[in-house]
Amino acid sequence: RLVSDWSSDVCSSDLASSSGGGGGSSSSGRDAGIANCLEGISCSTPGEACTSSAGAQCTCNGPPGSAILSCNVIRTGGSTGTNSGGGAAGSGGATSSGGGSAAPTGGISAGASGTATGGQQAGGSGGSSEVGMACTGTALWGTGNGDVQLVVDAGQKGQAWNRFYEKGVALDHANTILTTAYGRNAQAALKKGHDQAGFQYIRFHGILNDDIGVYSESNGTAAYNWTRLDQVYDAIAAAGMKPIVEISFTPSALASTSKVQTALWYNNKSPNISKPKDWTKWEAFMAAIVQHLETRYGAAEVRSNWFFEVWNEPSWMYEAGDDGYNELYAHTSKGLAAGDSQIRIGGPAGSAGESPGLISGLVSYAKSNSLKLDFITFHSYANDNNAKVADANAMLSFYDSISNTISSSKFTGTVLNDEFGSSYDTVVTRDNEVAASFIAKTVHLIGTASKAGPPSMYAWWALSDLYEEFDTGTATAFREGNYGLLLKGDPAVPTSFDVAKPAFNAFRLLHMMGDTLISTTGGTTSDGVNAAATASSDGSAVQILVYNHVAGGTADSSKASQVKLTVNNIPGTGALKIRHYVLDRGHANAYQTWVGLGKPANPSASQWTQISSAAELCYFETTATGTSWSATYAQNVYGVSLFTVGR
C-alpha cells in the first residue's frame, strides 16, 4: 500500500492471486525467499518482515494475525516522488511514477519584492520533506492590478482554522477493504487518504453483510465468526485511521424477510435490508460486537475513539423505512450499550430530504425512552433539493438549516456530516477540476460562514473508485462519474494504483493550511474568486488558499481571472520563500491528461505513467525580502491555488 510515487518494482502486490487482505495461508515470517510482499499474508507477530523482489523490506502492522503488510522502504520514480504522510507504505499498490506535470495554462506574476528563482525542487511532505514538485514551464513574474484584489494581513489573527473536513472520509462497503470485483482492494487508498490528505476516520456500509460473514445460526442458536470483521478493522488501524462502525445491514440468518436492496450491487451480493426477525437475538449480537471489539482493540480505545452509527439512509436502505427507524435505533442502541454503556452511539444518517424529520423524531424518541444518543449524523450533496451541481452556497444553506433543526430539538451532542459531495449523481464534475474548487469553497464557507460553526466531521463520499454500489465495469481509469477521490487502477500496472483526481489534490492543499485564520479581504462568496488565509502556530509561514468557483459545473475552465494577491505583515526576518501550488485544468489534473490521450478506458502502461505523473501537485517558486509581498497571476475557473509564504 502506497504513500506516493513508487517505482513499479517496489513491494508489488500480486493481487490477481491474493484475496486482498483475506487471511492467506502463506507465512510471512522472516523468509527472504518470499518474492513479493503480498497483501493477505498473515503475520503471527507484529514486526515480522519479508523482502520484496526489489529488496524493499516489508513489515507486519496491526495485531497478530492481522494479515496486513506495509512496506517501510519508499522508492521514487526519479526526483519527483512524494511521501506526504511520513508513514509506512504498504503492499497493496502504488501511485504515480514521477515525472513532469501538465504544462501550465498561465504564468504567475510577482510584484517588485519577488524575483523568480527558476529552480525545480522535488520531494514529499511528512517530516522535513516537501509536498509536490516544480511545475514545468516558466513562471512569468511581473506586476499588475488584476481583475480581483486580495489582501492578506498576517498581523491580524482570528479564530483557529478548523480541520473538520479531515476528520472523516467514506468508503463504499466493508468488503472492498478486503477484496473487490476489480482485482484490488482499498487498503492502499486508506493509507494514501490518511497520509496525504490527513483523513482520520473511515465510514462504510455493510459490516454485517453476508460477505463479511459474522453472523450465522445453528439449530436456532447464534454463532459469530469474527475473522473478516477483524481483517477490516485491522486494515483501518494499519492505515492509521479509526472507524465509524455503521451497523448495517441485516445478516440473512437474522433477517425477517428476503428483502434485499438491489440498487446496492456489491459484486452480486446485494444486502438484506429487512427488520431482524428476533430483537432479542439482535440486541445480544450488538452487545457481542462491542465486547469483541474491546477485547481486540482495547476498551479505552473503542470508548474514546470509535463511533457506533445505527444504519444508513433508512428511507431506501431499510425495508421498514423512516417510519421504522426509531424501533431499529432503540433495539440497536440498547444492545450496543449492553456491550459497553460508555461507547458513543448515534444516527440517523439520513439523506438531505429525510434528515430534518428523522433527526427531530430521533432526538424526541431517544429522550422519551431514555436511549443513548451521543451524536447526530446527516448527509448533504450539492444538488439536493433541486440545487445546482457543485453549488457550495447550497451546501452552506442546507447546513445552516440542519443546524437550526438540531438546535430546535435541544440536542447538544456531537454533529457529524458523514457523506457530502458535489453531486449525488455519477457526473463528470466529480472527476474533473470542478470538484476541486467546489471542495475548497465548501470547506471555506462551512468553516467560516456557518451560523452554528462547522460540524465535527464533514466526510467526502467516497475515497476510492474501488466501488461496488453499482458495477463500474472493466474501465480502470476515469468513467466520468465515479464517486471516488482515487482511481481504481489496473491490477497489472502498479503505477495506476490510486491515482489522485483533482478532488483529492484539493484535500491535499487543504491539509497544508495552517492553524489560525488571518485577515483576508477581497473576493466574493458568489461565483468567482475568493480566498482564506492561515498562519502556522510557530509563526514560520502563512498559507493562502485561493479558488475560482462557479456553481453548476458548466463554466469554461480554460478561462481565468487575473488576481493580485498582497500579503502584509509577514512575520520574521530574513529571506522569504514563496511557493504557489497550482491545481486547475492544466496542473495536478490527471483527468485532463486522460482526456488528451483520447479517454482510454484501459490505458497502457506508458499512458498510465503520463496520467499518474500529471496527478502530482506542482508549484512555482520564488524568493523575496521584507514583510510584504504581492503577486499577480491567472486564477483559472474551477482552479485552486495555495500560496505558502515563509522564511
Side-chain angles (χ1 to χ4, degrees):
R1 110 167 118 258
L2 79 105
V3 175
S4 176
D5 284 301
W6 295 11
S7 60
S8 62
D9 61 348
V10 174
C11 218
S12 61
S13 63
D14 194 22
L15 287 163
S17 61
S18 168
S19 64
S25 60
S26 301
S27 171
S28 64
R30 304 182 185 278
D31 185 359
I34 297 175
N36 294 292
C37 298
L38 303 179
E39 278 187 276
I41 295 179
S42 297
C43 303
S44 60
T45 305
E48 285 190 324
C50 68
T51 303
S52 77
S53 58
Q57 190 77 9
C58 298
T59 58
C60 297
N61 271 347
S66 64
I68 303 301
L69 287 167
S70 66
C71 181
N72 61 9
V73 174
I74 298 170
R75 293 278 296 267
T76 60
S79 62
T80 60
T82 67
N83 166 14
S84 77
S91 62
T95 48
S96 60
S97 60
S101 70
T105 57
I108 178 168
S109 303
S113 62
T115 56
T117 62
Q120 292 208 359
Q121 296 188 11
S125 67
S128 60
S129 50
E130 299 171 334
V131 177
M133 60 188 178
C135 295
T136 59
T138 303
L140 302 175
W141 300 80
T143 59
N145 288 327
D147 306 313
V148 179
Q149 292 81 41
L150 301 172
V151 179
V152 175
D153 187 345
Q156 293 190 31
K157 295 185 178 180
Q159 65 193 40
W161 175 256
N162 193 309
R163 297 184 178 276
F164 64 102
Y165 53 89
E166 293 183 359
K167 295 299 173 62
V169 70
L171 201 65
D172 179 22
H173 72 121
N175 201 54
T176 59
I177 296 177
L178 305 182
T179 185
T180 72
Y182 314 118
R184 303 179 54 238
N185 67 34
Q187 292 177 26
L190 292 177
K191 185 67 175 170
K192 184 167 184 174
H194 172 269
D195 288 352
Q196 295 194 7
F199 295 136
Q200 297 173 30
Y201 280 83
I202 189 74
R203 174 189 184 263
F204 44 82
H205 311 323
I207 192 62
L208 306 183
N209 286 357
D210 289 347
D211 52 15
I212 302 300
V214 179
Y215 186 93
S216 63
E217 290 188 6
S218 177
N219 297 320
T221 301
Y224 309 135
N225 183 339
W226 306 108
T227 303
R228 288 174 67 78
L229 179 142
D230 288 345
Q231 290 169 1
V232 167
Y233 291 121
D234 287 351
I236 293 168
M241 301 179 77
K242 299 182 186 300
I244 295 179
V245 180
E246 180 195 298
I247 300 298
S248 66
F249 294 99
T250 313
S252 59
L254 193 48
S256 59
T257 75
S258 59
K259 176 66 174 179
V260 298
Q261 179 48 270
T262 56
L264 302 173
W265 176 65
Y266 291 176
N267 195 13
N268 288 318
K269 297 182 179 68
S270 296
N272 188 291
I273 59 169
S274 70
K275 290 173 58 174
K277 65 183 181 183
D278 185 324
W279 287 121
T280 299
K281 288 182 177 180
W282 179 260
E283 290 186 21
F285 182 29
M286 296 300 103
I289 290 171
V290 173
Q291 291 163 358
H292 172 77
L293 291 174
E294 291 191 349
T295 296
R296 187 168 182 83
Y297 302 101
E301 164 67 15
V302 174
R303 288 170 180 168
S304 300
N305 296 317
W306 293 34
F307 292 90
F308 290 81
E309 181 182 42
V310 181
W311 223 259
N312 181 74
E313 298 190 1
S315 64
W316 67 287
M317 291 194 190
Y318 185 50
E319 187 177 20
D322 287 355
D323 291 342
Y325 182 77
N326 286 345
E327 178 189 36
L328 173 68
Y329 186 88
H331 290 289
T332 306
S333 63
K334 285 178 181 177
L336 293 170
D340 185 346
S341 62
Q342 297 184 58
I343 63 169
R344 295 182 288 186
I345 305 169
S351 62
E354 65 185 320
S355 278
L358 270 180
I359 290 170
S360 297
L362 177 60
V363 173
S364 176
Y365 185 81
K367 288 179 179 178
S368 298
N369 292 276
S370 300
L371 299 175
K372 188 173 174 60
L373 180 62
D374 300 299
F375 61 92
I376 289 290
T377 55
F378 70 96
H379 302 161
S380 178
Y381 292 88
N383 58 334
D384 286 332
N385 304 314
N386 299 312
K388 295 179 181 179
V389 167
D391 188 338
N393 289 97
M395 299 292 286
L396 175 62
S397 295
F398 180 75
Y399 176 59
D400 283 342
S401 174
I402 281 292
S403 297
N404 287 336
T405 297
I406 294 170
S407 177
S408 297
S409 73
K410 308 301 183 184
F411 179 79
T412 58
T414 302
V415 177
L416 312 175
N417 179 340
D418 51 17
E419 285 188 28
F420 91 98
S422 56
S423 171
Y424 54 72
D425 295 314
T426 54
V427 292
V428 69
T429 52
R430 281 184 159 276
D431 284 334
N432 64 19
E433 57 273 11
V434 173
S437 57
F438 166 77
I439 289 166
K441 183 170 184 175
T442 299
V443 166
H444 182 200
L445 293 181
I446 298 291
T448 61
S450 54
K451 295 174 183 177
S456 296
M457 180 184 295
Y458 212 70
W460 183 264
W461 179 272
L463 177 61
S464 175
D465 277 357
L466 293 166
Y467 182 93
E468 294 183 341
E469 190 161 300
F470 53 88
D471 184 357
T472 59
T474 60
T476 55
F478 293 92
R479 234 184 114 258
E480 296 193 300
N482 277 358
Y483 287 106
L485 296 169
L486 303 169
L487 292 178
K488 68 167 72 166
D490 185 336
V493 184
T495 52
S496 72
F497 295 176
D498 307 296
V499 171
K501 297 181 185 180
F504 184 78
N505 281 331
F507 283 111
R508 290 188 71 190
L509 294 180
L510 285 162
H511 188 49
M512 296 166 64
M513 293 291 278
D515 305 299
T516 306
L517 277 163
I518 54 179
S519 172
T520 305
T521 58
T524 178
T525 57
S526 299
D527 290 345
V529 175
N530 205 0
T534 58
S536 300
S537 58
D538 61 2
S540 63
V542 297
Q543 305 81 26
I544 306 101
L545 181 79
V546 185
Y547 54 85
N548 188 350
H549 186 72
V550 179
T554 59
D556 186 350
S557 64
S558 68
K559 304 298 184 182
S561 296
Q562 292 296 315
V563 175
K564 182 176 182 180
L565 172 65
T566 301
V567 187
N568 295 321
N569 296 315
I570 302 168
T573 59
L576 290 170
K577 183 172 77 171
I578 300 100
R579 277 192 177 172
H580 174 199
Y581 289 88
V582 189
L583 167 54
D584 60 16
R585 184 181 181 90
H587 301 85
N589 194 327
Y591 172 79
Q592 293 294 351
T593 295
W594 174 77
V595 170
L597 292 170
K599 299 185 177 181
N602 297 285
S604 66
S606 62
Q607 288 175 324
W608 270 118
T609 297
Q610 296 178 66
I611 293 167
S612 58
S613 296
E616 183 54 88
L617 287 176
C618 74
Y619 55 81
F620 295 112
E621 187 172 83
T622 190
T623 57
T625 58
T627 58
S628 295
W629 176 81
S630 66
T632 300
Y633 72 99
Q635 181 67 63
N636 277 57
V637 174
Y638 301 126
V640 184
S641 291
L642 181 74
F643 291 85
T644 61
V645 182
R647 304 292 178 180

